Amino acid sequence: MYCYTKKCNLCIAIYQVMLKNGSKKEIWRGRKAINIVFDNEGSQLAFIEEKQTSNQPDRILWHYNAGDNKAAKLADNQSINVDGLVIHGDGSLYFSKNGNHIFFDLINPEPPKQDTSEVKVQVWSYRDERIYSDSYRKWAYKAVVSPSDRKIMVLERDGDDIFSGLNSDKENDDYILIKNQRGDETEYRWNKAAQPSIFLVSTKDGSRKLLNQNLVVRYPGVYRVSYSGKYVLYFNQEDLQYYSYEIDSSVIRNLTKDISNNWHNENNDNAYPPGSSSLDIICLEDETFIIYDNYDIWRLDPSGNTPPLNITNGYGRKCKIQFRIAYIDEFLREVRKQKNPELILTAFNLTDKTQGFYKQPLLAKKNPELLSVGPFVYGLWPIYFAATPKARDAGIYLVRRMSATEAPNLFTTNDFKTFNQLTNVQSQRAFNWLTAELITWRMFDGRMSQGVLYKPENFDPTKKYPVIFLYYEKKSQQLHYFEEACYSNSDINIPYMVSNGYLVFSPDIYYTIGQTGKSIYNSVVSAAQYLATLPFVDAFKMGLNGFSFGGYETNYLIANTNLFAAAVSGGGLSNHISFAGSTTLSGNSNNGFAEASQSRIGGTLWEKKQAYIEDSPIFNADKVTTPILLMVGKVDGWNLYPQNLEYFLGLRRLSKKAWMLVYEEEGHGLGGKNATDFTIRMKQFFDHYLKDAPPPKWMTQGIPAKLKGIDDGLELDYSIKTPPSREHEIKQTIQ
């Protein structure tokens, strides 16, 4: 079935066209139809009609089934009759996979305009479940209707969010999983209203079953309803085990308690509880589940009758290879056709960062068989997003492959050993491109670390190059990732800087809770001292660059070492105390970020007062000797403009060399002309301090407010040829 719309005067009509014989018929006529969607089989149609009334838009949900004479009305604003909610015109609208349900959104109608003579006062109370916020509001509530009986069920209430369910890997949608969390999720460590509870909700009658309540976690983890709707499988973040919940009997079973294996994310180094190592739980038709640990693939029986089976036989953990199923949807179709289908697995080697493919029978416990491996990235990311589409009726697969020196291209394969190239994008050939090398060194605490060193394609080992350190958490996994050449919307663009004569080094950073600053120093400064020993590195021309938390890392480093000749910090914080005591622009508290998230302090200000001070760069601003360029968006949603202003004003008061770029209409990152502008200014800044180039006038003379938008100050000032030498000072630090 094919449908199309046709406008006629002030009306619009929807027609059904049968492609076999070209026949057509009108199935609906009205003023305006929006959100037109088909079911998976293409035999059903749903859409929303919108009629403008004097006060609010009147919306109607329509349904059409192939063979019917006309579309039928399923719901309108009057039939909803739930707490004044109305159908959302711009919300999501879709069929369940089996086509038995239609899911749509409801919203609160716009409130009447306030009397402007009333006193405008905000009332904040310690009893509030959530801090006062003008912007916080539950905008949409998920509802469901069955075309067969036209019964409408409102699935979400205040504080509810559907976080699992409506799954692509099960045929029915009799149940969905809802997280109820009334408070700000960043306050989960102490605010009971912010601690999520998990409910299983029936789409048939709206009944709820409580699975878990008042979880002391920010994110509840992965939950999944079984294929037939008999079980729920979930990861318990309190004891780090997998459980099944039998829906009819309410029986709960710990499925993994007898296995000595880490089911949590071993790479978690935040202060909040570690989540599951499995990014998803895959549900099979025969009431079994597939999960991942940090390396291998397992089968779980939710009834508990069969013990967990390590399909990949522990080979992943033994060889430090992360295995994942390459094609989820196609794999599930194969499960239904074959008794023991063969899995195609993606494999990422954590040691050398190579990626490739293995094969493994679903029911066997054996070492996977290698198909191919190399210095490539398949999909969009080295590990998790390497989805591989398969032809529905043939053994042909489509893969997207890239490397550090080859742009992404499309290939087909039928055995994952040989690949037939379909496209030939070679954008890197227009530039002096880069090479990427994995570097390993010993940090100050004795542990080994890794990082990626990017060199220009025309690298000359007899020359000495300036080097810029670019960091954010752990980046060595991107060794074979193709870095696109573009303007800098946050931090430096690696191909751009490398093609202009710089080396770029991205070190991994390993954190210890409560010692965030020391962890940054341990990782980055040890890397810098190691690179300083290489004959082609100019140890006196090393720079720093980071954005967001990387901006904070930059702010911290220059306040605790004088090793670096220049630093650019974008959108970072400078004072954990004032940041924890502020809110985001959307009205959420930032204290959870400091206590348990990336700041990793591990406690409140009153519990760890000294750690808040030691890890806040502002308190060591008097020790800064490295020239710094700060960049921030004035409307950064994390409310980081005050943090950058605080650091800049402190450095300015102390007569330190500091500049700040404030992009007035930008948030957490730049776009368009602002990204172009930042790219130019950042390169001018680094060129001056790392290549002894003349500085631009915006650095030497500034731009008065009255000339904003008139004079960009990008013209070079040749009256100042080179920056003062800090070679003696840096040499003492290296030694």
Side-chain angles (χ1 to χ4, degrees):
M1 180 179 73
Y2 168 71
C3 290
Y4 71 93
T5 61
K6 181 178 179 180
K7 291 184 178 180
C8 178
N9 296 328
L10 298 177
C11 293
I12 186 171
I14 299 179
Y15 290 84
Q16 171 191 292
V17 179
M18 302 307 295
L19 298 181
K20 290 183 178 180
N21 55 24
S23 64
K24 68 176 182 178
K25 69 175 179 179
E26 181 181 299
I27 62 174
W28 177 87
R29 180 178 291 271
R31 286 294 184 91
K32 183 178 182 182
I34 55 179
N35 284 14
I36 301 174
V37 297
F38 282 95
D39 69 349
N40 284 345
E41 299 300 322
S43 61
Q44 296 185 84
L45 183 74
F47 59 93
I48 294 174
E49 177 187 8
E50 185 170 276
K51 298 178 179 179
Q52 188 64 42
T53 64
S54 57
N55 297 320
Q56 297 282 346
D58 185 22
R59 301 187 182 99
I60 302 171
L61 174 61
W62 291 85
H63 170 258
Y64 176 75
N65 194 21
D68 292 346
N69 186 38
K70 293 284 186 180
K73 183 171 72 172
L74 292 185
D76 57 21
N77 289 343
Q78 289 70 41
S79 64
I80 301 299
N81 196 28
V82 177
D83 298 328
L85 298 176
V86 298
I87 297 174
H88 191 2
D90 296 325
S92 58
L93 177 68
Y94 50 90
F95 285 88
S96 61
K97 188 170 183 181
N98 62 9
N100 291 339
H101 298 98
I102 299 173
F103 294 90
F104 62 104
D105 287 339
L106 304 174
I107 58 172
N108 286 301
E110 288 297 318
K113 294 183 179 180
Q114 294 181 341
D115 185 348
T116 56
S117 64
E118 292 182 1
V119 175
K120 294 181 179 180
V121 58
Q122 298 178 1
V123 179
W124 296 51
S125 170
Y126 76 100
R127 294 180 180 272
D128 293 340
E129 293 179 335
R130 176 184 291 266
I131 58 175
Y132 187 97
S133 171
D134 289 322
S135 59
Y136 176 75
R137 182 183 178 188
K138 177 72 175 175
W139 284 103
Y141 300 80
K142 191 66 66 184
V144 63
V145 61
S146 172
S148 61
D149 59 14
R150 303 186 186 182
K151 185 177 181 180
I152 301 168
M153 302 299 308
V154 180
L155 302 173
E156 290 182 305
R157 306 169 182 171
D158 282 334
D160 284 350
D161 281 301
I162 295 176
F163 77 102
S164 184
L166 313 181
N167 306 321
S168 62
D169 58 358
K170 70 187 193 71
E171 289 295 338
N172 70 77
D173 286 300
D174 293 336
Y175 295 98
I176 61 170
L177 288 155
I178 279 181
K179 177 187 72 172
N180 181 272
Q181 187 176 46
R182 299 181 307 280
D184 178 353
E185 66 179 16
T186 66
E187 298 180 342
Y188 71 91
R189 289 163 63 93
W190 60 272
N191 182 357
K192 191 171 183 178
Q195 296 166 1
S197 296
I198 310 302
F199 292 90
L200 184 71
V201 181
S202 169
T203 58
K204 294 180 179 179
D205 57 18
S207 62
R208 293 184 167 215
K209 286 191 174 185
L210 178 66
L211 298 184
N212 280 311
Q213 65 179 336
N214 303 128
L215 298 172
V216 189
V217 294
R218 182 173 183 181
Y219 306 111
V222 182
Y223 286 66
R224 185 68 73 192
V225 180
S226 69
Y227 183 88
S228 66
K230 185 177 180 180
Y231 296 97
V232 177
L233 189 76
Y234 64 92
F235 181 75
N236 189 321
Q237 289 181 277
E238 293 181 349
D239 60 7
L240 307 179
Q241 299 290 326
Y242 278 98
Y243 286 79
S244 69
Y245 174 86
E246 192 168 355
I247 295 174
D248 288 342
S249 66
S250 300
V251 172
I252 298 175
R253 300 178 178 92
N254 186 332
L255 302 179
T256 53
K257 59 182 174 61
D258 297 326
I259 299 177
S260 58
N261 188 68
N262 289 334
W263 303 106
H264 62 276
N265 181 3
E266 296 175 2
N267 295 319
N268 176 69
D269 56 9
N270 290 320
Y272 51 73
S276 165
S277 59
S278 186
L279 290 178
D280 198 2
I281 297 172
I282 304 166
C283 176
L284 305 184
E285 187 171 3
D286 61 348
E287 296 294 1
T288 60
F289 291 94
I290 297 290
I291 64 168
Y292 304 129
D293 67 16
N294 288 273
Y295 301 96
D296 291 293
I297 303 176
W298 294 71
R299 293 183 69 221
L300 296 183
D301 174 9
S303 71
N305 294 327
T306 304
L309 175 68
N310 188 330
I311 296 174
T312 47
N313 201 32
Y315 186 79
R317 184 172 292 275
K318 178 182 177 181
C319 300
K320 295 293 183 285
I321 297 174
Q322 288 186 326
F323 288 114
R324 301 293 183 256
I325 296 175
Y327 54 105
I328 300 299
D329 290 340
E330 290 80 2
F331 156 67
L332 291 168
R333 283 198 289 268
E334 294 298 317
V335 168
R336 296 160 196 161
K337 295 178 183 177
Q338 306 174 26
K339 291 183 178 180
N340 186 22
E342 191 171 68
L343 306 180
I344 300 298
L345 309 178
T346 61
F348 180 76
N349 189 305
L350 273 73
T351 302
D352 61 13
K353 320 305 178 186
T354 55
Q355 190 180 8
F357 296 94
Y358 286 68
K359 67 178 180 179
Q360 168 73 32
L362 173 62
L363 300 181
K365 179 182 179 182
K366 57 180 289 188
N367 292 345
E369 179 184 340
L370 174 64
L371 299 176
S372 63
V373 69
F376 304 114
V377 172
Y378 292 92
L380 299 178
W381 193 253
I383 307 173
Y384 301 123
F385 300 108
T388 305
K390 176 183 179 294
R392 187 183 63 182
D393 300 320
I396 303 295
Y397 302 82
L398 181 69
V399 298
R400 181 175 183 263
R401 192 181 80 182
M402 70 179 81
S403 72
T405 57
E406 294 181 9
N409 278 288
L410 295 177
F411 297 77
T412 58
T413 182
N414 59 8
D415 59 5
F416 291 94
K417 294 179 180 180
T418 59
F419 298 87
N420 176 42
Q421 188 167 348
L422 299 180
T423 62
N424 190 32
V425 177
Q426 300 291 342
S427 57
Q428 74 278 3
R429 292 182 179 175
F431 303 91
N432 173 30
W433 202 244
L434 54 78
T435 62
E437 177 184 352
L438 188 65
I439 300 292
T440 302
W441 77 98
R442 190 177 300 277
M443 298 184 292
F444 296 139
D445 63 4
R447 292 182 294 170
M448 302 304 294
S449 185
Q450 292 181 311
V452 182
L453 179 62
Y454 298 93
K455 301 176 182 176
E457 193 174 24
N458 62 350
F459 174 75
D460 182 353
T462 65
K463 290 177 54 178
K464 285 207 177 272
Y465 290 84
V467 59
I468 299 174
F469 288 78
L470 174 65
Y471 33 73
Y472 187 93
E473 303 285 344
K474 296 177 178 64
K475 295 175 73 71
S476 67
Q477 292 181 350
Q478 299 182 48
L479 171 66
H480 302 302
Y481 191 81
F482 183 81
E483 299 285 348
E484 294 185 5
C486 59
Y487 291 113
S488 300
N489 61 5
S490 55
D491 43 31
I492 61 170
N493 178 257
I494 295 174
Y496 177 67
M497 298 306 288
V498 169
S499 67
N500 279 279
Y502 288 93
L503 305 182
V504 175
F505 186 66
S506 292
D508 288 344
I509 300 179
Y510 293 87
Y511 294 96
T512 299
I513 305 302
Q515 299 181 23
T516 306
K518 292 178 181 177
S519 299
I520 297 166
Y521 187 96
N522 178 53
S523 298
V524 179
V525 177
S526 65
Q529 293 203 3
Y530 172 77
L531 258 63
T533 65
L534 302 179
F536 51 81
V537 170
D538 188 339
F540 309 116
K541 299 293 185 181
M542 296 191 294
L544 298 171
N545 179 229
F547 177 77
S548 192
F549 197 68
Y552 158 70
E553 292 165 340
T554 300
N555 295 339
Y556 178 87
L557 285 167
I558 66 167
N560 288 274
T561 179
N562 58 8
L563 180 60
F564 300 97
V568 176
S569 167
L573 62 89
S574 61
N575 186 343
H576 287 299
I577 298 174
S578 60
F579 187 70
S582 67
T583 66
T584 65
L585 294 188
S586 60
N588 292 330
S589 169
N590 281 325
N591 59 27
F593 184 92
E595 294 177 23
S597 187
Q598 280 189 300
S599 292
R600 299 174 173 89
I601 294 178
T604 69
L605 170 62
W606 304 275
E607 294 167 332
K608 297 183 176 292
K609 191 178 300 183
Q610 194 59 35
Y612 275 81
I613 295 173
E614 289 179 358
D615 282 351
S616 295
I618 190 68
F619 293 105
N620 282 326
D622 57 323
K623 299 177 182 178
V624 171
T625 60
T626 302
I628 184 171
L629 173 64
L630 298 163
M631 182 277 286
V632 66
K634 188 74 174 286
V635 289
D636 189 315
W638 284 96
N639 205 7
L640 290 170
Y641 170 64
Q643 287 287 305
N644 282 259
L645 181 61
E646 186 174 341
Y647 203 36
F648 173 76
L649 291 177
L651 293 169
R652 180 177 182 272
R653 173 65 181 84
L654 294 164
S655 299
K656 306 295 182 178
K657 291 184 174 64
W659 292 261
M660 183 168 66
L661 304 174
V662 181
Y663 292 92
E664 296 184 355
E665 298 179 354
E666 293 283 11
H668 201 57
L670 309 177
K673 294 181 179 180
N674 290 334
T676 305
D677 180 83
F678 178 53
T679 302
I680 295 170
R681 295 184 195 276
M682 181 161 50
K683 185 175 181 296
Q684 287 180 330
F685 179 82
F686 277 132
D687 282 353
H688 177 58
Y689 284 110
L690 302 186
K691 286 187 172 183
D692 294 336
K697 289 185 177 179
W698 64 265
M699 288 178 61
T700 60
Q701 301 176 20
I703 303 176
K706 65 181 180 180
L707 295 179
K708 181 181 68 174
I710 300 174
D711 183 359
D712 57 23
L714 296 176
E715 183 182 352
L716 297 181
D717 186 348
Y718 289 94
S719 66
I720 300 177
K721 296 182 179 180
T722 61
S725 174
R726 296 180 57 241
E727 182 173 327
H728 176 70
E729 181 182 359
I730 294 174
K731 185 180 295 185
Q732 288 182 324
T733 302
I734 295 175
Q735 293 174 346

